[in-house]
Amino acid sequence: MIRRSAIAFAPFVLLAASLVHCSDLAVPAAGPDGGPAPEAGSGTDAAAPSACPAPTGPGTTHAANVEASETWTAAGSPHLVTDDISVRSGATLTIEPCAEVRIAKDKSIAIASAPADTTGTLKAEGAKDRPIRFTGIDGARWGSLSVRVPNGKATLRHVTLEGGGGDLETLHASLFVRGPAEWPSRRDVLVDHVTINGSLGYGAVVDHAAAFAEGSTDLVIAGAGAGDPERPFPLRIGEAAIHTLPKGLYMFNAADEILVYEDPVAPASGLREDATMRNLRVPYRIGQGTNKQMRVEGATLTIEAGVVLRFEKGAGFEVHHQNEDADAQAALVAVGTPDEPVVFTSASPAPAAGDWVGLWFGGRPLAKNRLEHVLVEYAGGDCLCGLATCNAITEHDAAILMAHPPATVFLTSSTIAKSAGHGVHRGWQSNSMPSFLPTNTFTDVAGCKETLPVPADGTCTSNPPCP
């Protein structure tokens, strides 16, 4: 049986667990509003002495687009950005170690933002003892650092972005990465020892098919969302970015969860590349916006032990959307441990049975599916479906739903709890009747623990009981 208490970490336990993985990261100091205080040198290496002298001169003013490659030097600091600027026309903006960039209220720096065919590159590569800092002029709330990939590319090493998020167009995020709407994913932004501190809304947004570049690591986002209750999370990502999230620290925000957001206008939505959802010691939030389903299409999603997925009201999880009588083109591998199960649960502050739909397996589930030491709770919401069954039931909702017999009994050593419908709905017409009862635990399930499929000849005994 799953030990539910294993994932109910106290904040200080979460912090300790995170620091095991990123022991060289410094936690930002608390500010007067309870969030981290933006302060000089509060980057990922804030605990290390900085070799950067404080800027003393009048600085260098920038108010025009960067259309030819240039370098912002440490000696020319502070660099005062007084208007929105874009790095474009094939230009590269290089920012030296120890440089300080101060940006006016609501103004932003964009990499390849417009026109549509423009290109641009940002290279802001500091060092452990010589970080680069982006902040507001006289403490102003500046806009964002935005990158439109693949035309725009950015490398950020040992960089702090503090006090940003003043632009609603970039969702009040300090770092905004917009990718193309269609797959494959584009990994054109590298972050390495980067801190995003005190963002008005999201700390960072990585949208559509954008993702972090290989080698991204040690990202700290703290103090996000304090000024925007609609955008309280440290990260909002599309499914393309799941596999590329850097290790780091995503705590001390208005809501310490990573929002996975499926864009309803994307023509090729759903995860379409093999990916691993890593245990970053904060939950993943699923189902915000108009499209509430997280979907895996043409790929395998692997979920690490200890990961918690929290579903909003009416949301669900689909493994291959289509329900035709053919092998599915997607799979889910979620293998936890008795002490660190993979948890699928409600995002409600007062969770109840039926809060979210459950796990839907379309097509004939593949043999590579594997759910072990998993907890599925508070599911069984309206699936808007009608599945075959011999049981005399009117509701087809369940925590786990299948319309075709699976290649294997892929759910083992797991718990289904507090389902408003059934536990497992075996909703097919076939003589194949693999059972999920022997190795799993069912608690507070309103319907059948598992339903009875219809035999291949279509005949059912009269009103058979639940198996």
Side-chain angles (χ1 to χ4, degrees), residues 21-375:
H21 297 287
C22 43
S23 59
D24 59 338
L25 305 184
V27 179
D33 60 354
E39 58 181 50
S42 61
T44 53
D45 298 305
S50 174
C52 299
T56 57
T60 307
T61 298
H62 306 273
N65 293 327
V66 177
E67 307 210 36
S69 296
E70 62 182 70
T71 298
W72 293 3
T73 65
S77 294
H79 292 271
L80 308 174
V81 178
T82 58
D83 203 352
D84 292 323
I85 66 171
S86 178
V87 180
R88 60 191 200 182
S89 303
T92 296
L93 172 59
T94 301
I95 302 179
E96 285 187 348
C98 287
E100 182 170 307
V101 180
R102 300 178 186 174
I103 306 171
K105 185 177 185 297
D106 297 337
K107 302 304 180 183
S108 299
I109 298 175
I111 314 301
S113 63
D117 61 348
T118 194
T119 61
T121 301
L122 172 66
K123 293 183 178 179
E125 301 187 69
K128 185 172 183 177
D129 61 342
R130 295 181 298 150
I132 295 167
R133 181 183 181 219
F134 291 77
T135 189
I137 295 176
D138 297 326
R141 172 73 68 185
W142 57 281
S144 66
L145 175 61
S146 67
V147 187
R148 183 171 59 83
V149 303
N151 289 7
K153 304 181 188 303
T155 300
L156 306 174
R157 299 185 190 274
H158 298 280
V159 170
T160 294
L161 310 176
E162 59 187 27
D167 186 357
L168 181 57
E169 280 193 23
T170 50
L171 305 180
H172 289 159
S174 295
L175 176 64
F176 185 85
V177 183
R178 170 57 55 84
E182 297 184 348
W183 296 84
S185 62
R186 293 307 305 245
R187 306 180 181 187
D188 296 300
V189 175
L190 184 141
V191 295
D192 176 6
H193 287 83
V194 170
T195 288
I196 301 173
N197 201 348
S199 187
L200 182 67
Y202 303 121
V205 171
V206 186
D207 253 355
H208 296 320
F212 289 106
E214 184 176 356
S216 291
T217 186
D218 295 299
L219 175 61
V220 172
I221 303 179
D228 184 352
E230 294 185 4
R231 300 168 180 87
F233 306 107
L235 276 168
R236 185 185 111 164
I237 63 168
E239 287 141 328
I242 288 173
H243 186 64
T244 68
L245 292 180
K247 72 172 185 178
L249 191 64
Y250 303 98
M251 294 185 64
F252 307 107
N253 303 285
D256 289 332
E257 299 174 77
I258 296 169
L259 175 62
V260 182
Y261 186 90
E262 183 175 88
D263 194 326
V265 303
S269 59
L271 179 68
R272 295 174 184 268
E273 296 174 345
D274 291 352
T276 297
M277 184 173 276
R278 297 187 176 99
N279 185 358
L280 298 174
R281 300 295 171 182
V282 294
Y284 293 81
R285 174 73 72 97
I286 312 295
Q288 192 175 94
T290 57
N291 192 343
K292 290 183 172 292
Q293 307 306 309
M294 181 172 177
R295 293 167 50 199
V296 183
E297 298 283 351
T300 297
L301 175 63
T302 300
I303 304 179
E304 290 185 345
V307 167
V308 177
L309 295 89
R310 303 182 68 230
F311 292 82
E312 296 198 351
K313 189 73 173 178
F317 192 111
E318 297 179 357
V319 182
H320 186 64
H321 178 68
Q322 298 300 323
N323 193 33
E324 70 272 7
D325 188 14
D327 287 345
Q329 301 301 306
L332 175 64
V333 178
V335 179
T337 69
D339 291 325
E340 285 201 299
V342 175
V343 178
F344 300 84
T345 189
S346 167
S348 171
D355 275 352
W356 63 287
V357 176
L359 307 181
W360 171 273
F361 291 84
R364 288 197 295 264
L366 300 177
K368 66 170 63 175
N369 284 296
R370 184 182 174 198
L371 277 65
E372 183 176 335
H373 294 297
V374 162
L375 170 63

